[in-house]
Every structure is written in C-alpha cells, then in structure tokens.
Amino acid sequence: MPEKMIPPRSIRRALCALALLAWAAAPVSAQSFTSARVVKARTVVSFDKVHPGSAFRAAVEAQVEPGWHINADRPTLDYLIATQVELSDPAEAPRLTLGAPVYPPFAEQAFSFTDGKTLRVFEGRVLIGLEGTAPKDIPPGGRTLAGTLTVQACNDTSCLAPARIPLETAVVIAAPGEPINAIHGELFEAIRFSGGAYVSQEVARAEDRIGRLVDESGWGMALAWIFLGGLALNLTPCVYPLIPITLAYFGGQASGRSGHAFSLASLYVLGMCVTYSALGVAAATTGSVLGSALQSPAALLLVAAVMVALGLSMLGLYDIRLPTALTRRITSRPGYGGALFMGLTVGLVAAPCVGPFVVSLLAYVGQSGSPLLGFWLFFVLALGLGVPYLLLGGFAGRATGLPRAGAWMEWVKKVFACVLFAMAAYFLNPLLPGAVAAYTIPAVLLVSALYLGFMEGSPIRGAGFRAARLGVAAGCAVLAALLLIPSTAASAEIAWTPYSDEALAEAAGRPAIIDFTADWCLPCKELDHFTFGDPRVAEASRSFVMLRADITRQLSEPVARLQKEYAILGAPTIVFLDAEGRERRDLRLTGFEGADRFLERMSKAR
C-alpha cells in the first residue's frame, strides 16, 4: 500500500494496540518489556505520624528516564493510556481515606508520529498528590497505603507496553498528644493542591512544639506555659479595648468596696474564659478562623447591643441582675449578673487575636481530636488572659472610692458609659458603608465631648471638677480629630487586589503576597497603619502582586477554598508565594510585625 494511505494516527493506534497485547500476554515479572523499565516510582506521606481525626497528604513521585515521556492523566487522544494513581488503605475499617489524585500540569509536545499535532505528556520528575484523612476512631499503630501507578512510556519513535507499578507506604497512627513532624516538605510544596482540610507545615511545627512540651515536661509545665501565653495576650492590640471597658464597668459598680470589686472581677473573668474556650475549641475542631463568630452581622449587632445596654445601665436607666433564683445562690448584691454577662461578651473582643502561640495551641487541639481537652487548654489560656482584670477590678474599686461625694461617682459612671457607646460603634463599623463607618466613632466621641463637658448636669462645683470635665471633653475631641485624619498616603500606594482565582492566575511569573484580613481584626488595622503605611513597604510592594483575602463575613468560594488550602487559623495571616506560585512557608506571618522586619521577609521572598 502506498505510504500516503497509512495516516500517522493509524500507526499510533497500531503501536498502542500491539503494546496492549504485549502487556496482557507478558508475565507480571517481565518488567523489562514494559514501561516499568524507564519509570520508577515511590510513595511518601507528609507527616511521620498522623493523629486520629486529622488530615494528611500522600505523594507519588515518578521519575521518567530522559528521552521518554508518559501520557498525561487526560490524554489528547482517547486511545492513549492515561497516567493514573490508585491508592487506598487495604485494612479493615476504620481505614484511612484518600481523595482524588492531584496531577501536575502537563506539557504539550509534538512527535514524529503525530503529524505536527501536540500530545499532553509528563516528563522527568512527575509528582502526584492525594489528600487523606484519618478517622477519629482509628487505633494507634502502623497502617499501609497500597496501590498502583498505571503508565505507558513512549519516546519519539516507539512505545513500551503499559505497566502497573506497585505503590506502598507506611502510615503511623499516633496516640493522642504524641508529637508529630512534617516530612518531605520540599516535595509537597511543589504539588498544587486545590483545597482540603490540610494542616500546613507551619501549623504542624506549631502543634509539634506543644506536643514536645507535653511529652518532655509533663502536663503541669505545659499548663503553666499556656497560662503565661494567655498572660502575654494582654500585650496584643485586641485587648486594648478591654482595659477601658473593665475600668468602666467596675468603676461604676464597685462603689469603692475592694472585696465586692474582686467578686465582680472574678465573674467577669469566668465569663471571658467560657467564651474564649468555646471559640477556640470551635475553631480548632471545625477548621474555622479563630474569631469567626464576629463574622456574622447578627453577632456584631448582639455585641454592640450589649455595650449599649451596659452603657445605659451606667447612666442609671436600670440595673442588670441575675435571675432571682440564681442570685440567692450566689449573693444578694446587685451587679453580679452584669459582670458575668459582660465577661461572656468581651471574650469575643480578645478572640480574634492570633499569634504564633495561639496558632500552636489551635493546631494541637485540632490534631488531638478531643473537644474536652481543647476546652480545658483554652480555659487555662483565657485564665491567663483574665488575671490582670482581677487586679484592674480591685484597682477600680479603690480608685472610685476616693471621691467622697456621690455626685462625683455618678459623673464617672457617665464617662464610662460614653466609652461603652464608642465600643458599640466600633463593633457596628463592619456593617456600615465605608463613608459612614469612617465617621461613626468620631461622631460618638464628639457627642460625648459635648455631653460630658457642657451638657451633663451633675450638681458639682469647684475648680477641680471643672478641670476634670473640660479635660475629658478635650480628650474625646482630640481622639475624634485623630481618627478623622486620613491614613498615610503611603498606605494608599500599595496596589491591593481583592483575591480571586483569576487575580492569582495573573500573578504567574511574579511573587505574590496574600493578606488574610478582617474588619474585626485589630492587629490587621495595626498592620495597615504601621507596616503597610510605611513608605519603604509601599515601595517594595511594587515587586509583588498584592492580594487581599477578606474573611470578615461570609467567604466567597475562592477565599473559602484558599483558607482551607493554606490552613488559615486566624487573622492576620500573610502568605508569601514565589514566582512559581508555591508558598514560602518559612516566611508566613501570623499577627502583627513592624515595618523593618516585614521588609526583611519581602526581600527573602523576591
């Protein structure tokens, strides 16, 4: 037959048919006649141990000899043998579960037999990832993942018979509290996973720090360190608003009695512990962002309503009391219900503050799979956070006991009521349009200045009272003016782009920075003002694609998927991607950082 009567596609079909016949007829041990001769494979997992109820990743690394290629997982032509991975836990239930394989991007190449058309192929090192989960009831011990890698290797002139290369890797199920370590990090960083409840290497290392502390020093020392970690949270900007709120409430309720103030403070701290513990356990066990309770408009309205209710109580409109039956069990004195209720509420203010220590604890609780353990660990953390408020409560009781006249006390309570109204405005800000939100708190402060300085009708005379009155009014007015000053010009120079899959795709070939931020996140605002507002940071940002993922309210699908992919446990979290789109996990930032140190991170990420 003339050569022109045999089209290249028919030749390709004939070669593949012959290869399939050889594959079916050859013994399994005859590897020298199959694609296994030029393709080697191994399987690894992302952790040396896996806790029950936690996620992990597996990877198949195939190495194709130079001069050969294997077909992609979605071949160009339907008769080509696709590269496929099958991996599972062959043991009896409960067993490890694995999701669909994640294949690498294919290359398109033309060969002598394709008549100029391109085929989708893999060459050289081929990395295929799978995301898995260990069930919560799986017992500690060794497990095995087993399966096959199906490939067909070809070169420019011929194809080998397809091969099913056996795969196998061991998975160790850890006992609760046993430390784990991330392994094969450089391999997993090269795989573009699209989602899944996976714990990043940074979180794994954080969890491991807590695990090692428990393992090496025992629970007593671990709890002591967690308590000190909670104490250190008072240095974060999330807790700044709690100080005036605490003084406001106890200053108005203690009436100069230190014992009574300490009792109020104890219930206040107990409320903080309960709220913070519940939020922390929910975040660790569900994978949601710590402080995500504040994402809901209903929750923001509730917190603002509580602040307004407490403020009106300060103005003397009513008293907040526990139910009568409960009051008889605790004490007959008024104010205890308000202290407990306020403590339950203001725990929400502290919850969004996330730093490396809180990330460590979140990761450890999440890996343990024990809600009870998570509650008590976060209870100890919140107890450390709340101890200074016991001191503040006692101080407020002594401080408010200094004035002898009752009218002085009433005026102080009205000052603290204005503080609470300003806090209510702060919590309502995320729900308001941008143009209105910028003026809400300054407006409340200006009204407070007019009321406290000139309209409040306390029957007090004397130069000292007039000076205090004018001083407080002036302070409110100055603070309002400072809030009305526009942000630095340098901050506006950063070309932030709302995160989307399309925006990330456009960043191909350039390093990128993804800022996970939220309106309820005080350290995020601190970053905006002090770090991103620095002219040097704004200048350096021009070398990056600057993306912002807003997690204030209901997340868009791309942002929600991104949050799971990068295991975002709180805001602020800043993720650095290299020019290939892979995260530089060594540069990830959680919490606030000054401009100088942030510039060092940026220089390493270029």
Side-chain angles (χ1 to χ4, degrees):
M1 183 180 291
E3 182 178 346
K4 64 179 181 181
M5 297 298 293
I6 305 176
R9 179 167 179 171
S10 297
I11 296 175
R12 181 67 167 176
R13 286 181 183 270
L15 289 171
C16 287
L18 289 172
L20 285 171
L21 287 173
W23 182 36
V28 176
S29 61
Q31 295 293 330
S32 59
F33 297 100
T34 71
S35 297
R37 180 169 66 85
V38 296
V39 180
K40 307 301 179 185
R42 67 168 182 148
T43 308
V44 299
V45 291
S46 55
F47 300 112
D48 62 348
K49 301 181 185 69
V50 178
H51 280 126
S54 66
F56 66 95
R57 283 176 173 171
V60 176
E61 181 184 24
Q63 190 67 47
V64 183
E65 288 187 5
W68 296 83
H69 66 265
I70 58 177
N71 299 313
D73 58 301
R74 292 175 294 150
T76 310
L77 304 173
D78 55 5
Y79 59 82
L80 298 178
I81 305 301
T83 295
Q84 292 184 333
V85 165
E86 296 179 358
L87 199 64
S88 63
D89 180 1
E92 296 182 357
R95 59 173 60 92
L96 302 169
T97 58
L98 292 168
V102 177
Y103 294 93
F106 52 78
E108 293 188 295
Q109 293 187 18
F111 300 93
S112 60
F113 53 78
T114 60
D115 197 22
K117 294 182 180 179
T118 60
L119 300 179
R120 301 169 182 169
V121 299
F122 297 143
E123 291 183 309
R125 188 191 192 203
V126 182
L127 297 176
I128 304 167
L130 302 96
E131 293 182 310
T133 304
K136 291 186 176 181
D137 57 346
I138 191 169
R143 310 287 284 205
T144 299
L145 293 177
T148 58
L149 169 66
T150 300
V151 294
Q152 183 179 29
C154 300
N155 58 21
D156 197 36
T157 59
S158 63
C159 292
L160 298 176
R164 292 193 182 99
I165 302 173
L167 303 174
E168 186 174 286
T169 187
V171 179
V172 179
I173 306 301
E178 187 177 356
I180 66 172
N181 296 292
I183 54 178
H184 305 296
E186 74 291 342
L187 188 151
F188 285 96
E189 287 178 2
I191 301 175
R192 296 298 299 274
F193 290 94
S194 60
Y198 173 67
V199 179
S200 69
Q201 289 184 51
E202 174 179 305
V203 174
R205 289 193 297 268
E207 189 271 342
D208 185 46
R209 286 194 293 269
I210 298 292
R212 283 202 307 269
L213 182 61
V214 173
D215 190 50
E216 296 173 1
S217 303
W219 276 108
M221 184 61 68
L223 292 175
W225 277 107
I226 292 172
F227 178 86
L228 292 175
L231 193 63
L233 286 180
N234 288 284
L235 303 177
T236 62
C238 287
V239 185
Y240 296 162
L242 298 182
I243 297 174
I245 292 174
T246 303
L247 290 173
Y249 186 78
F250 296 123
Q253 296 289 327
S255 302
R257 294 170 291 173
S258 298
H260 183 45
F262 187 83
S263 300
L264 290 171
S266 298
L267 282 173
Y268 178 89
V269 171
L270 177 63
M272 288 177 60
C273 290
V274 171
T275 299
Y276 200 80
S277 300
L279 287 175
V281 172
T285 55
T286 65
S288 63
V289 175
L290 186 64
S292 59
L294 296 183
Q295 296 177 18
S296 165
L300 291 169
L301 287 171
L302 174 63
V303 175
V306 170
M307 297 297 175
V308 171
L310 291 169
L312 294 176
S313 174
M314 290 286 192
L315 293 179
L317 272 67
Y318 47 75
D319 287 325
I320 300 177
R321 301 171 182 264
L322 287 170
T324 304
L326 189 57
T327 301
R328 289 172 181 169
R329 290 179 177 270
I330 300 177
T331 179
S332 59
R333 296 176 178 175
Y336 284 89
L340 180 62
F341 186 52
M342 188 172 178
L344 290 168
T345 305
V346 298
L348 296 173
V349 181
C353 261
V354 173
F357 186 82
V358 180
V359 167
S360 301
L361 196 59
L362 278 171
Y364 183 77
V365 170
Q367 293 286 347
S368 72
S370 171
L372 182 62
L373 175 65
F375 180 88
W376 284 113
L377 291 183
F378 272 93
F379 191 93
V380 173
L381 183 77
L383 194 62
L385 173 68
V387 161
Y389 298 96
L390 294 174
L391 302 177
L392 284 175
F395 172 78
R398 291 180 178 274
T400 53
L402 293 177
R404 294 181 178 277
W408 269 93
M409 182 64 63
E410 294 302 315
W411 183 78
V412 169
K413 288 172 63 176
K414 292 174 182 177
V415 172
F416 291 148
C418 291
V419 173
L420 291 171
F421 294 147
M423 288 304 305
Y426 166 79
F427 280 101
L428 289 175
N429 252 12
L431 305 180
L432 302 175
V436 176
Y439 296 99
T440 303
I441 298 178
V444 171
L445 290 172
L446 287 175
V447 170
S448 299
L450 291 173
Y451 171 71
L452 296 172
F454 307 100
M455 300 171 62
E456 192 275 330
S458 294
I460 306 176
R461 300 292 181 267
F465 174 72
R466 286 196 299 270
R469 194 171 185 168
L470 292 176
V472 171
C476 291
V478 169
L479 184 57
L482 291 175
L483 292 175
L484 288 172
I485 296 175
S487 300
T488 61
S491 181
E493 293 177 9
I494 294 183
W496 290 109
T497 301
Y499 176 83
S500 65
D501 293 337
E502 295 75 15
L504 184 61
E506 292 175 1
R510 295 181 59 195
I513 294 176
I514 306 177
D515 175 26
F516 290 85
T517 187
D519 289 346
W520 41 258
C521 168
L522 287 175
C524 300
K525 300 181 186 300
E526 194 175 22
L527 272 171
D528 278 340
H529 184 76
F530 295 105
T531 304
F532 299 140
D534 191 290
R536 298 169 298 164
V537 174
E539 178 65 28
S541 71
R542 297 175 183 175
S543 302
F544 297 84
V545 176
M546 305 293 288
L547 302 174
R548 258 201 170 146
D550 190 347
I551 57 176
T552 299
R553 302 187 187 91
Q554 187 67 35
L555 306 186
S556 65
E557 182 180 347
V559 173
R561 187 170 64 250
L562 191 72
Q563 176 196 334
K564 291 182 179 180
E565 179 177 354
Y566 290 103
I568 303 302
L569 296 178
T573 298
I574 299 177
V575 172
F576 291 80
L577 305 180
D578 62 18
E580 302 298 324
R582 296 171 298 193
E583 183 187 354
R584 288 288 305 275
R585 299 187 190 275
D586 58 314
L587 299 179
R588 178 183 285 214
L589 173 64
T590 56
F592 171 77
E593 185 173 73
D596 291 336
R597 295 189 63 184
F598 192 78
L599 281 168
E600 294 177 7
R601 290 180 190 266
M602 296 178 80
S603 64
K604 293 177 182 178
R606 289 175 182 170

